[in-house]
Amino acid sequence: MNPTPPAAEAAPARRGRPRSEAAERAIVEGVLRLLEEGTSIDAISIEGVARLAGVGKATVYRRWPGGKDELLLAVVDALEEPPAQPRGDSVRDDLVTLLEWYRRVGMAKRQSAVLRTMTSHVKSHPKLWQQYHDSVIKARRETLHGVLRRGVASGELRDDIDLGLLGELFTGPMLTRTVLHESKDLPDGLAEQIVDSVLDGVRPGR
Amino acid sequence: MNPTPPAAEAAPARRGRPRSEAAERAIVEGVLRLLEEGTSIDAISIEGVARLAGVGKATVYRRWPGGKDELLLAVVDALEEPPAQPRGDSVRDDLVTLLEWYRRVGMAKRQSAVLRTMTSHVKSHPKLWQQYHDSVIKARRETLHGVLRRGVASGELRDDIDLGLLGELFTGPMLTRTVLHESKDLPDGLAEQIVDSVLDGVRPGR
């Protein structure tokens, strides 16, 4: 999760890249296989994962110098839906795209015991959670705020609401359902319904 | 958490009530004192609490037949803000009252390590969480839905949004901030801002 050190960034050729990507995939898949077989996260060791992936421990540490914690975040990353890419057309449609991504992630979590286990592990370890926050959640929020800023500039959104709150008016109802009320439905069209209700307001006759 | 059985309800005189209420308070305060001194929830025993409160174990079990789990819920209840009572005037004002209650609970949790510890204990124990849900959360949702139904009937709220979703449009942004983003501000006026934004919508020129 640390920024790439300048030396590495400046490295001229990326020889051996494909091989190391294959190793990376094998390592992440090794962790997933262990989790699916019921191994607890605490019981997973770099040594065990390396053996399963057919690589040396050094290969794992070269890719993830932070060790197991950093590797676990890579596994969460591999499990999650690829981040939503707003198309830059109407702000309304971009907000639907972003909220639809949250909905899909919520559904994936309900269907995957491994993803749920991983998520609650990350959440209950403050250092891991901070790293996850700084990498994944911050980027997601930046994407959302970019769309909102565009909407304010184009006159599609009011300019008198704090940007953080404006975002939460859209994401809050979806997150409440995906994260806090896990027994509730996540029907098709939920993202559209939330976005349109928040845009138009819930007073009658609009 | 169970409803009072009819026999008890029909009991004519409430002799000894004050004494048992005092015992109840002493027991709950005993648990709080232990938690404040740093005793872990797991290490708390009915025996230890009874000793601290100067009562017999039987007194504790008479009041909380479910034992420690039920007692813990009573402690959470004692720690939480008393539930918000909507006044039944304008639906807008009642929604502000309800959301302001969430905000105060969120602030209380940020200030009280004991309340935070208790809450995460309840959340991580499915049986306890279910009991808490069935008693506290369900009642809270019923209050909210009562206000919303009144608003739909009086024409203050649109009638074409599912009641569950309508409620989440208001509570979602507040819960996102109090529960999910604990580092974010909970400023005065947040409840009003959320309610008015959701009512009016976030398109300009309304």
Side-chain angles (χ1 to χ4, degrees):
Chain A
M1 293 304 118
N2 296 316
T4 316
E9 224 167 44
R14 298 221 170 205
R15 289 200 303 155
R17 236 302 146 113
R19 201 177 59 190
S20 88
E21 269 178 15
E24 187 176 324
R25 245 198 328 273
I27 293 161
V28 168
E29 273 161 20
V31 177
L32 284 174
R33 208 177 335 150
L34 288 170
L35 290 170
E36 274 155 18
E37 283 164 1
T39 309
S40 78
I41 295 175
D42 286 337
I44 289 176
S45 69
I46 295 288
E47 193 160 5
V49 170
R51 203 183 317 120
L52 209 58
V55 300
K57 275 169 67 175
T59 304
V60 182
Y61 282 110
R62 202 175 311 127
R63 176 60 190 85
W64 294 286
K68 185 170 155 184
D69 275 0
E70 215 178 320
L71 172 57
L72 289 177
L73 289 177
V75 173
V76 172
D77 191 54
L79 282 170
E80 284 192 333
E81 296 277 322
Q85 300 295 345
R87 297 177 32 153
D89 303 336
S90 89
V91 164
R92 183 260 178 199
D93 290 350
D94 281 353
L95 288 169
V96 169
T97 301
L98 294 178
L99 258 65
E100 177 62 12
W101 179 87
Y102 283 102
R103 190 182 75 95
R104 285 203 315 271
V105 169
M107 289 200 299
K109 251 171 217 162
R110 291 177 186 194
Q111 280 151 16
S112 159
V114 168
L115 184 50
R116 269 203 311 281
T117 306
M118 287 297 298
T119 308
S120 70
H121 179 87
V122 170
K123 278 194 185 163
S124 60
H125 290 72
K127 210 185 111 204
L128 260 178
W129 178 243
Q130 188 64 47
Q131 289 180 334
Y132 181 76
H133 181 272
D134 290 349
S135 55
V136 180
I137 296 187
K138 240 182 192 162
R140 197 183 295 166
R141 190 177 303 157
E142 258 323 295
T143 306
L144 171 66
H145 286 184
V147 171
L148 296 175
R149 267 187 223 105
R150 195 156 55 77
V152 170
S154 69
E156 286 164 274
L157 297 173
R158 281 165 54 177
D159 60 5
D160 60 343
I161 304 175
D162 163 77
L163 208 70
L165 180 60
L166 188 57
E168 287 162 347
L169 292 174
F170 291 101
T171 58
M174 185 61 93
L175 285 173
T176 298
R177 224 175 249 218
T178 56
V179 181
L180 300 177
H181 302 154
E182 295 196 31
S183 62
K184 283 206 189 160
D185 270 0
L186 293 173
D188 279 350
L190 182 60
E192 285 87 345
Q193 262 197 301
I194 291 173
V195 169
D196 290 332
S197 302
V198 175
L199 284 172
D200 295 335
V202 302
R203 287 196 203 276
R206 304 247 165 185
Chain B
M1 294 302 121
N2 297 314
T4 317
E9 227 168 42
R14 296 221 171 203
R15 288 200 303 156
R17 236 297 145 117
R19 201 176 60 191
S20 88
E21 270 178 14
E24 187 176 323
R25 245 198 329 272
I27 293 162
V28 168
E29 274 161 20
V31 177
L32 285 174
R33 209 179 332 151
L34 287 170
L35 290 170
E36 274 155 16
E37 284 165 0
T39 309
S40 77
I41 295 175
D42 287 337
I44 289 176
S45 69
I46 295 288
E47 194 160 6
V49 171
R51 204 183 316 118
L52 208 59
V55 301
K57 274 170 67 174
T59 304
V60 182
Y61 281 110
R62 204 176 308 126
R63 176 60 189 84
W64 294 287
K68 185 171 155 184
D69 275 0
E70 215 177 319
L71 172 56
L72 289 177
L73 289 177
V75 173
V76 172
D77 191 55
L79 282 170
E80 283 193 334
E81 296 276 323
Q85 299 296 345
R87 297 176 33 153
D89 302 337
S90 89
V91 163
R92 182 262 178 197
D93 290 350
D94 281 354
L95 288 169
V96 170
T97 301
L98 294 178
L99 258 65
E100 176 63 11
W101 178 86
Y102 282 102
R103 190 181 75 96
R104 285 202 315 270
V105 169
M107 290 199 299
K109 250 171 220 165
R110 290 175 188 196
Q111 280 150 16
S112 160
V114 168
L115 183 51
R116 270 204 310 280
T117 306
M118 287 297 297
T119 308
S120 70
H121 179 86
V122 170
K123 277 195 186 163
S124 60
H125 289 72
K127 211 185 110 203
L128 260 178
W129 178 243
Q130 188 64 47
Q131 288 180 335
Y132 181 76
H133 182 271
D134 290 350
S135 54
V136 181
I137 296 187
K138 238 183 194 164
R140 198 182 294 167
R141 190 177 304 160
E142 257 322 296
T143 305
L144 171 67
H145 285 185
V147 171
L148 296 174
R149 267 187 223 105
R150 196 156 54 78
V152 170
S154 69
E156 286 164 274
L157 296 173
R158 280 165 54 177
D159 61 4
D160 60 343
I161 305 175
D162 163 77
L163 207 70
L165 180 60
L166 188 57
E168 287 161 348
L169 292 174
F170 291 101
T171 58
M174 184 61 92
L175 285 173
T176 298
R177 226 176 247 217
T178 56
V179 181
L180 300 178
H181 303 154
E182 295 197 31
S183 62
K184 283 208 190 160
D185 270 0
L186 293 172
D188 279 351
L190 182 60
E192 284 87 344
Q193 262 198 301
I194 292 174
V195 169
D196 289 333
S197 302
V198 175
L199 283 173
D200 295 335
V202 302
R203 288 197 204 275
R206 304 248 164 186

